[in-house]
Each structure stands twice: as C-alpha cells, then as structure tokens.
Amino acid sequence: MRFGAAVLRSYEEPFAVEEVMLGSGPAGGEILVRIAGCGMCRTDLAVRRSAGRSPLPAVLGHEGAGVVVETGGPDTGLSPGDHVVLSFDSCGHCRSCLGAAPAYCDRFAALNLFGGRTENAARFTDAAGGALAPRWFGQSSFAEYAMVPARNAVRVDASLPLELLGPLGCGFLTGAGAVFNSFGAGPGDTVAVFGAGAVGLAAVMAATAAGAFTVAVDRHPERLAQAEKFGAVPLDAASADLPGRVQRLTDGGARYALDTTGSGGLINDALRALRPTGHLGLVARLHTALPLEPGTLDRGRRISHICEGDAVPGLLIPRLTELWQAGLFPFDQLIRTYPLADIDEAERDCEAGRVVKPVLIPEHRT
Ligand SMILES: [Zn+2]
Ligand SMILES: [Zn+2]
C-alpha cells in the first residue's frame, strides 16, 4: 500500500512529506494502524545529532495513536476498529521483558533506535522503491499508517480524543511513570522536578495526582507558570543556592528528584536537594562524563537512570487516561496540533521551546 509519510533523508535537511510504500500486510502478531496523531519527542529530534548511528532515510515518530485497520493472525488481541496508543518496542523474550521491565529489554536500542527488526528491512520503501530504515520504535508513525507489533499497542476507550493520546506512549509515560513506578510517590512525599518540558511537566502532574508536594525547577518563566498551574511550587533554575531553597521548601530535602535536563550542574544541585536516602532519577541521555561533587551521594542518597518511566505501557497508559478523565492529568493542555505537512514548523517550535508537545495530524488522502 501507498501512503504519505514525513521522511528524514539527511541529518541537516528538513523533513519531506512524500509517498512511501509498505510491501506486505501485517505478519503474524502485527497490526496496521491508521494514525490519528503522533507526538514529537526529543528522541525524534536527537536523530539529527546521532552522528550517523541512526540509519537514514527514515520515517521517525514514536508517539502514535490511531485505529486498527487490519490484524495479522488471531493472536494480536486486537480487532479492526480498536483505538490504540503505540509505545516502544521490546522483544518479549529476554529476562527484562519476562520480568515486566520491557524498557530494559536486551534489544531495546536495536529495536527502537538503530534499525528495528531486520526481518522488516525490505518491506518499507519510498515511492521509487528505495529502501527506508526499518520502523523506528516499532512504529514510524509520522505517517498516515504504521505497521506495528501488537505487543506495543495499548487499546484505549473509543470515547477518548484519540489524536491527542500518542504522547502517552513515550514522553508523558516517561515523566508519570518515574513518579508512579520508579519512585512510588504518594501523599506526604516530596518531589523536585528539574526541567519542566513534556517529561518534567508530566512528572509534576503525576506527583500532584499522587498527593505529593512538588517543586519544579526551570529557567523559562512560561514553563514554570505551567508547572505552577499543575500544582508545583515554581523555582527559577538561576536562583542562588538552589539546593538550599528546595531543602527549605521540602522540610529538609526532597524524598525524590527527577532530572530531565542532563545538565551536570543541575544533577549535582538535585542530589544536594535530596533528603538522606533520597532518590534522584535521570531520564535524559548523558553526552559527557558526569562529575559528582564530594558529598552529593552521602547518607544513603542514590541515583539511577530511568527508561520509559519503568512502565509496562499496557498498565500505565490506561491509568493515565483514567486520571485524565478525572481531571487529574491534564496532558492535553501541553499539546499543540499541526498538520503532518507542517512538521518542520513543529520541529522549530519544539526546539525553540515555543510549544511543549507538538502533535502531528496526518491528512489521510488515502
Ligand atoms: Zn526483551
Ligand atoms: Zn520519546
């Protein structure tokens, strides 16, 4: 079948919306999804800085949501017409997958970032028959359609605003999952969130929904205003003695801190802002060595990396939609929609911080 997709052909050039071809219908365990909307995540944009490691040309996009059109075999657990949110890919067989930790799948990087499943390599081409990189994060959903392992699709209620739900599969899942799964934050806990972008603001919403007292640190006043609206006490990242200020606000230090910035200075500040035995979670990929100042890990403080919010998407995504319906996880307030054809404008707005979460809506000419 032929359909429109945003293709990235070089690390420097804009996306080009063009026709692509999918050579065969769903194999066993796969589903074909008509994409209603796809969020843009930092990881999509980081491909430009991957220094050749992410194969091109590629159709990116890994926060898709849409309607199942066709299923491969009887074992997908899904039917045509089902509404689904698409999440990251995992093998289903390694020790991490068996242990309900699919974000730590032995094949996570291979399946999601650097080439996908090799058996799919020849199926996806451009209109001239030129090869495209295998599906990105098991999806490649900056497109009208996506062929997806059913394992990565989560059925959602058809009354929900489907075109907005895609970011629940990655960015919002990451922030909320860190709070609910990695921290297990609850009433009376204190959470400090460093960086109030899509992931950080999802963490703020989740921490507030969990009944925790939350502090949000950022350098952009508009992001801090949003965090405040979602229940956090805002703190300018440039404040003098940032750790001391967090400690005073949290009665001796935050029980949990989440860094979404990857900045060494802020990570050290976040550790100093923790109370003894506190836990700092990192979600951003570090690009340089991380020097820790003396004393920052003393007294039982710990630091860990958190991938995809430690989530089992099939469990966390329905929880997030239920919280949204209850008015406790208003993620839609962070979204601005763009036609898929305007993907370059969405990227510029995202990079410039003018929008927290762009969602691209394909036009469906076919
Ligand atoms: Zn696995
Ligand atoms: Zn993502």
Side-chain angles (χ1 to χ4, degrees):
M1 71 184 287
R2 292 168 174 265
F3 55 89
V7 179
L8 187 69
R9 290 194 173 273
S10 91
Y11 298 120
E12 298 81 24
E13 285 166 41
F15 290 90
V17 176
E18 56 183 81
E19 196 174 69
V20 298
M21 293 197 295
L22 204 49
S24 56
E30 288 184 333
I31 54 172
L32 178 67
V33 178
R34 186 181 199 266
I35 297 296
C38 182
M40 179 176 274
C41 175
R42 289 275 159 195
T43 309
D44 295 309
L45 306 184
V47 166
R48 294 191 184 280
R49 297 182 286 275
S50 71
R53 292 204 302 159
S54 292
L56 296 181
V59 177
L60 304 177
H62 64 284
E63 291 186 340
V67 180
V68 177
V69 178
E70 198 182 340
T71 64
D75 300 328
T76 61
L78 294 163
S79 306
D82 282 348
H83 289 202
V84 289
V85 172
L86 308 178
S87 197
F88 57 90
D89 202 359
S90 58
C91 79
H93 308 295
C94 71
R95 284 170 187 255
S96 296
C97 286
L98 293 174
Y104 305 98
C105 174
D106 289 353
R107 296 186 63 203
F108 185 90
L111 291 176
N112 292 289
L113 301 170
F114 303 126
R117 294 173 194 256
T118 47
E119 61 267 32
N120 296 319
R123 292 168 75 189
F124 201 27
T125 66
D126 64 20
L132 296 171
R135 60 191 170 204
W136 168 250
F137 276 82
Q139 304 185 25
S140 288
S141 41
F142 287 156
E144 292 177 80
Y145 292 87
M147 189 70 82
V148 184
R151 174 178 168 76
N152 314 336
V154 178
R155 184 168 39 223
V156 291
D157 195 288
S159 67
L160 295 163
L162 184 61
E163 71 280 7
L164 303 182
L165 299 184
L168 296 179
C170 186
F172 297 156
L173 170 124
T174 296
V179 169
F180 291 142
N181 299 326
S182 321
F183 298 157
D189 279 330
T190 47
V191 180
V193 176
F194 290 75
V199 173
L201 288 168
V204 167
M205 286 189 272
T208 301
F213 175 83
T214 311
V215 179
V217 178
D218 202 289
R219 56 198 164 93
H220 299 292
E222 63 281 10
R223 296 281 167 99
L224 288 175
Q226 257 166 331
E228 190 172 18
K229 205 168 62 175
F230 297 144
V233 174
L235 256 188
D236 187 335
S239 306
D241 187 22
L242 191 56
R245 295 190 67 167
V246 176
Q247 287 195 357
R248 283 190 291 280
L249 284 167
T250 54
D251 192 24
R255 177 97 179 76
Y256 304 108
L258 185 70
D259 178 76
T260 69
T261 69
S263 143
L266 278 181
I267 289 169
N268 276 281
D269 281 348
L271 282 169
R272 289 189 187 287
L274 287 175
R275 59 171 295 101
T277 75
H279 178 187
L280 167 64
L282 308 181
V283 297
R285 180 172 284 263
L286 297 173
H287 294 286
T288 56
L290 172 65
L292 293 182
E293 290 157 22
T296 46
L297 282 175
D298 289 4
R299 306 189 70 201
R301 292 183 183 87
R302 66 194 174 101
I303 183 169
S304 72
H305 188 263
I306 299 170
C307 185
E308 302 283 0
D310 284 338
V312 174
L315 296 177
L316 185 55
I317 291 170
R319 186 170 172 194
L320 297 180
T321 58
E322 280 167 21
L323 285 171
W324 179 77
Q325 284 172 314
L328 295 171
F329 194 72
F331 68 89
D332 54 310
Q333 295 181 21
L334 302 178
I335 288 174
R336 185 190 300 171
T337 60
Y338 299 77
L340 181 60
D342 293 345
I343 184 168
D344 294 307
E345 182 189 344
E347 180 178 14
R348 282 193 298 273
D349 287 352
C350 191
E351 290 285 23
R354 287 189 288 270
V355 57
V356 176
K357 177 58 73 178
V359 167
L360 299 154
I361 311 286
E363 280 132 32
H364 287 291
R365 295 165 287 109
T366 51

